[in-house]
Amino acid sequence: RPGRSGRQRIAVVGAGPAGAMAARTLAQHGHRVTAFEKSRGPGGRTATRYAGDQRFDHGAPSFYADDPRLARWIRSWVQQGVLAEWPEGSGGYVPTPGANALVSHLCSPLDDVRFGVRVSGLAPREDEQGGWTVSWSSNSDVSQDRFDSVVLAIPSVQASELLRDASPELDAQVDRASMA
């Protein structure tokens, strides 16, 4: 919940499963959230791709939810038809009707999700307000704005590119991360 400082303006970079869940949770706790996704739609590594009339799922076909903190969310998403158990009885789940269904569902109540927008820079603000300046581009337009906080929900290689000049200390931590 917002602390003493109140409602923050937060940028979430990446609208895959982690970014969408972070953005939705922050918004539910009263923060003003802007989510940026470089692809044309939600999903990240769980996107649904299109080729003419054909569509196919990209990334992991299913996932396991063995963390008990997710149990009530999973039940809710199954009841809403956003997830189906797969294969039955295995404890695994698959988004329906496609891989991006869960992420689309998570993004649906958000007020400000920007697709087709690539975040190109981060810079800490040195003024009395603090926070971060986030720069992004969409087509040929380049923009920037101030945010109190930034969540990077993107692969470590991409995060490192943004943090290299903005925060060498964070960049060093990100460089040690590995993806499975």
Side-chain angles (χ1 to χ4, degrees):
R1 301 226 181 268
R4 292 186 196 133
S5 62
R7 221 169 100 147
Q8 287 192 24
R9 188 155 185 246
I10 302 173
V12 176
V13 181
M21 189 67 170
R24 183 174 178 151
T25 301
L26 290 164
Q28 286 174 331
H29 284 90
H31 297 290
R32 292 175 298 151
V33 177
T34 300
F36 295 94
E37 171 57 46
K38 67 181 178 179
S39 298
R40 294 179 305 185
R45 295 186 184 268
T46 62
T48 299
R49 306 274 192 232
Y50 298 89
D53 292 339
Q54 303 296 313
R55 67 180 229 181
F56 62 95
D57 290 335
H58 171 76
S62 65
F63 66 93
Y64 288 90
D66 52 5
D67 187 327
R69 295 173 294 183
L70 286 176
R72 75 179 174 93
W73 292 102
I74 298 291
R75 282 192 304 275
S76 170
W77 295 330
V78 168
Q79 289 172 352
Q80 294 173 52
V82 177
L83 289 181
E85 194 172 357
W86 183 75
E88 196 168 321
S90 71
Y93 296 90
V94 61
T96 61
N100 68 344
L102 177 59
V103 178
S104 294
H105 175 76
L106 292 172
C107 288
S108 65
L110 299 174
D111 292 331
D112 191 2
V113 182
R114 301 176 189 187
F115 297 112
V117 175
R118 180 179 296 274
V119 171
S120 54
L122 294 176
R125 294 181 54 97
E126 303 297 332
D127 59 19
E128 66 281 351
Q129 294 177 342
W132 294 85
T133 297
V134 177
S135 303
W136 67 89
S137 59
S138 175
N139 299 323
S140 61
D141 298 328
V142 177
S143 301
Q144 64 178 331
D145 204 349
R146 181 196 165 284
F147 292 88
D148 298 306
S149 299
V150 177
V151 174
L152 298 179
I154 54 180
S156 60
V157 172
Q158 295 171 18
S160 182
E161 290 173 15
L162 293 174
L163 292 169
R164 190 167 295 120
D165 295 328
S167 176
E169 300 83 19
L170 288 175
D171 182 37
Q173 290 180 25
V174 167
D175 279 343
R176 290 190 298 270
S178 63
M179 286 183 58

